[in-house]
Amino acid sequence: MHKFIKSLLLIATTFSIVEPGIASAADKLETAPTQFLETNGVKFSYRALGPKTGTPLVFLQHFTGTMDAWDPAVVNAFAKTRPVVVFNNRGVGATNGVVADNVAQMTTDGYAFIQALGYKKVDLLGFSLGGFVAQELAAQHPELIHKVILAGTTHQGGGNNLMKVLNEAFSRANAPDPRDYLFFSQSDAGKKAGAEFLSRVYARTKDRDPESGKDIADAHGKALIVWTSTPDPEYKTLTAIQQPVLVVTGSNDTMLDTAGSITLYKHIKNAQLVLYPDSNHGSIFQYHDSFVNTANYFLSH
């Protein structure tokens, strides 16, 4: 039970590429400039904010998500004390290339991007589909990955309810954004948190990423469904992860079942688990202050 309890910033002109670096602490996700870095045949779009020193925290995004789908309340809070990088994988947002339709390619791309930034050691925050990539990066590249946060995600073979919950979310009348249903509980408190989240993610009004279309949804859907449907009865990936891991989930994650997060906790050697009450897939956004405080302590100790 003890385990349970337990460089100046160079802004790119239209025809230039920004030298990899960290923006000033005054920058926010809503205003941080979009930068570009080309490696491995892909021109990655990314934003960097926070101090120049410390272990960078690299964010790995969910199904169809772009940089503008991250919650500023989470990203900006982390950037007060540490370097933070958000980016779009191939074919997503302002990143070029054909959209990856498998977790292995996403992992290869993520590794190439981090390497191109010049970092020797990073922490990861993988949310949902990004959590699959984070697990693979941690298992395959222990020399690069220091600590890992796995939020609203599951293990290989852990199953998914993607199509069911997407159909439910899009079938509702007067529901312009499905995330209020997919990410949050439908209690009064959950609905309020969902509305507040949506107001924050739409706060950036200039230089926003283009919205993801059917090609991205199809590719990401295939990657998510195949990975969560491919059995790993010996939990080879999880047992290969030796880094400290913080697993975070909601009490009722309807997309990637909460039980999958508990399995992550049980089979990763050095894992801690946080379960938030009355919450769904996006518990880290509903309980953003508590989550950042807990995660900062985990990353710093």
Side-chain angles (χ1 to χ4, degrees), residues 21-22 46-49 56-60 67 70 75 82-87 113 117 119:
I22 297 299
Y46 73 102
R47 297 179 192 142
L49 52 155
L57 177 62
V58 179
F59 283 57
L60 301 169
M67 295 186 290
W70 286 114
V75 177
R82 66 185 68 252
V84 167
V85 179
V86 299
F87 76 105
F113 172 72
L117 286 171
Y119 298 136

Side-chain angles (χ1 to χ4, degrees), residues 165-273:
V165 296
L166 283 178
N167 288 335
E168 290 173 353
F170 282 106
S171 67
R172 299 171 303 143
N174 303 315
D177 194 305
R179 288 173 292 183
D180 63 342
Y181 181 87
L182 297 173
F183 286 7
F184 299 89
S185 72
Q186 296 306 289
S187 68
D188 289 344
K191 290 179 179 178
K192 179 176 182 293
E196 292 171 349
F197 164 79
L198 291 176
S199 70
R200 295 193 299 267
V201 297
Y202 285 115
R204 186 181 181 104
T205 57
K206 297 179 180 179
D207 186 32
R208 287 185 64 89
D209 278 323
E211 295 295 324
S212 295
K214 184 177 184 300
D215 57 335
I216 296 176
D218 288 348
H220 283 190
K222 178 181 176 181
L224 190 152
I225 291 170
V226 169
W227 200 82
T228 58
S229 303
T230 302
D232 180 17
E234 297 180 359
Y235 301 106
K236 292 180 180 180
T237 299
L238 301 189
T239 56
I241 298 172
Q242 302 298 306
Q243 301 93 326
V245 175
L246 178 66
V247 181
V248 185
T249 192
S251 58
N252 184 33
D253 189 328
T254 58
M255 185 178 295
L256 298 175
D257 197 280
T258 299
S261 289
I262 296 174
T263 298
L264 289 173
Y265 159 72
K266 288 182 176 180
H267 291 278
I268 295 175
K269 179 180 179 180
N270 192 4
Q272 302 174 41
L273 175 66

Side-chain angles (χ1 to χ4, degrees), residues 65-172:
T66 68
M67 295 186 290
D68 289 314
W70 286 114
D71 189 344
V74 170
V75 177
N76 296 346
F78 277 118
K80 290 179 180 179
T81 58
R82 66 185 68 252
V84 167
V85 179
V86 299
F87 76 105
N88 291 315
N89 212 326
R90 68 168 64 214
V92 178
T95 297
N96 68 354
V98 177
V99 189
D101 66 356
N102 60 87
V103 172
Q105 183 63 63
M106 294 177 184
T107 302
T108 298
D109 290 340
Y111 179 70
F113 172 72
I114 295 169
Q115 288 284 95
L117 286 171
Y119 298 136
K120 302 303 181 185
K121 189 78 70 173
V122 300
D123 296 324
L124 299 177
L125 192 165
F127 173 49
S128 193
L129 174 59
F132 308 168
V133 179
Q135 291 171 54
E136 296 289 357
L137 283 170
Q140 297 177 26
H141 302 286
E143 78 291 344
L144 178 64
I145 310 305
H146 178 230
K147 292 186 177 183
V148 183
I149 301 169
L150 299 175
T153 192
T154 192
H155 56 95
Q156 183 177 329
N160 73 88
N161 294 305
L162 178 64
M163 299 312 299
K164 176 179 180 292
V165 296
L166 283 178
N167 288 335
E168 290 173 353
F170 282 106
S171 67
R172 299 171 303 143

